[in-house]
Amino acid sequence: MKQFLTLVKLLFSQQFRATTAGDKKKRTGIVIAFVVLGICLLPMVISVAVGVFMLGGVVGSNQGLVTMLILACQSLVLVLGIPTLITGVFMPRDADKLLYLPVKPITIFSAKLAVAYINEVITTAVTILFLLVPYGIGAQMGVGYYLMLLPALLLIPLLPILLGSIIAMPVALLLTKVGKDGLGKTLLTVVFFVLFMSAYMALVFGLMGLESSMPNGELTVEQLVAIIQDAVAKVSPKMQYIHTDYMLAGALVATSFGSWIVNLLVAIAEFALLGVLAILIAKPFYKHMLASQVEGGGGSGKKAKLTYDTKPTSVIKQLIVTDFKRTLRDSQLG
C-alpha cells in the first residue's frame, strides 16, 4: 500500500510539472486554449443548466430522471477520459522507467488507474455543477440530496473507468501495432475522427428528428409540461437496466433512512465490483503493453530511413520527394 500511495502521489504531481522552457510554453498554451474553449462553451453550459433546472421543476423528484442525469455525467467523463486512459495508462511515456522498478506491475497499473480516476473525479465535479445541482434546485430537493452528491462524486466516475479501459485497450493495441510514427498512425487517427464525427452527426440528426416529431403549432405551457412528463414516464422504467446508476439515483432521491442506506450500500458494492473487474480485465493487457513499448514493440519494428538521392538531379526535386516521404512516414508532419 505504501508503494501504491507513493506512486499515485508521484504520478499525479508529475502531470502538472514542467521541466523545460518548452514544456512551460506548451503548458501555458494548453491552459489558454482551455480558457478560450471554456468561454466559447459557457453559453451552452448555462443553457443546459437552465434547461435541467426547468425540467426539475416540471417533473420533480424522479429516480429515473436522476439516473439519466448521472448517465449524462458519465458519458461526458467517458469521452474526455478515454484519451487519458490511452496515453497515461496503457501507453505511458515512462514505461522504460516503470518496468524496472522493484514494484509489481499490478501496483503500477493500479496507481496509473487511480490517477486517471482522480482526473475523472475533477471532470465529474464540473458535470455535477451544471446537471445534478440545477436539477436539485428546480425539483426543490432537501438537504440530504446535496449531501449525497459528495459520495456520488466519488462513485459516478467508476463506470466510465471500466468502460473506458475496455475501449482503450484495443485502441492502444492498434496504435502500438502501427508504430509511433508512420502512415498507419495517421490513417488510424483519421478513421477515429470520422467515426467520432459520424456519431456526432447521428446525434444531431436524431435530435432534429425529435424536434420534427413535436406537434405543429404553438404549444401552451400545460401541453409542453404534459409532453415532458409523458416522455420521462416512458423512459424512466428503462433506467433500471443501468442498475448501478439507478441505485445511486435512489440514494439521491430517498425520502427515508432505510431506503437511503439500502440504495447507497448496493450502489457502493456494485461500483466496487466494477472497479475490481476493470483491474482484472486490464492487468494482463497492461503488462503486455508495458513490455512491448520497452522492447520496441509495435509495427514491423523497421525504422524508415530518409536519404537523399545521390544521382545528379535538381535540389528542388530531392526536397519534394523527401518531404512527400516524410508526410507519409512522420505522423506529426502528416
Side-chain angles (χ1 to χ4, degrees), residues 180-182 186 326 329-334:
K180 296 183 179 180
D181 300 307
T186 302
R326 286 194 60 202
R329 295 171 177 171
D330 190 326
S331 61
Q332 293 180 348
L333 185 60

Side-chain angles (χ1 to χ4, degrees), residues 131-285:
L131 286 177
L132 291 174
V133 171
Y135 166 80
I137 298 173
Q140 298 180 353
M141 303 297 292
V143 179
Y145 173 84
Y146 299 101
L147 293 178
M148 184 59 203
L149 287 178
L150 296 177
L153 173 65
L154 302 178
L155 293 174
I156 288 175
L158 291 177
L159 186 58
I161 280 285
L162 171 63
L163 296 178
S165 298
I166 294 175
I167 296 173
M169 284 189 287
V171 175
L173 183 61
L174 282 174
L175 291 175
T176 303
K177 290 299 182 181
V178 300
K180 296 183 179 180
D181 300 307
L183 178 61
K185 186 174 181 180
T186 302
L187 292 177
L188 191 60
T189 304
V190 173
V191 169
F192 284 131
F193 176 77
V194 171
L195 291 176
F196 172 78
M197 290 303 299
S198 300
Y200 173 76
M201 295 306 296
L203 177 62
V204 170
F205 284 112
L207 293 176
M208 292 173 63
L210 289 176
E211 183 179 354
S212 62
S213 64
M214 296 290 288
N216 295 326
E218 294 184 0
L219 295 175
T220 64
V221 176
E222 291 77 10
Q223 290 175 326
L224 183 59
V225 169
I227 291 174
I228 294 175
Q229 290 176 339
D230 181 63
V232 172
K234 290 180 179 179
V235 177
S236 293
K238 299 179 181 179
M239 292 295 104
Q240 298 182 34
Y241 296 107
I242 312 175
H243 200 261
T244 52
D245 292 349
Y246 193 75
M247 290 292 101
L248 180 58
L252 282 166
V253 301
T255 56
S256 64
F257 177 79
S259 176
W260 171 77
I261 193 65
V262 169
N263 283 282
L264 179 60
L265 291 178
V266 172
I268 291 175
E270 292 182 350
F271 277 115
L273 181 61
L274 290 177
V276 173
L277 184 61
I279 293 177
L280 292 178
I281 292 175
K283 175 187 173 183
F285 180 83

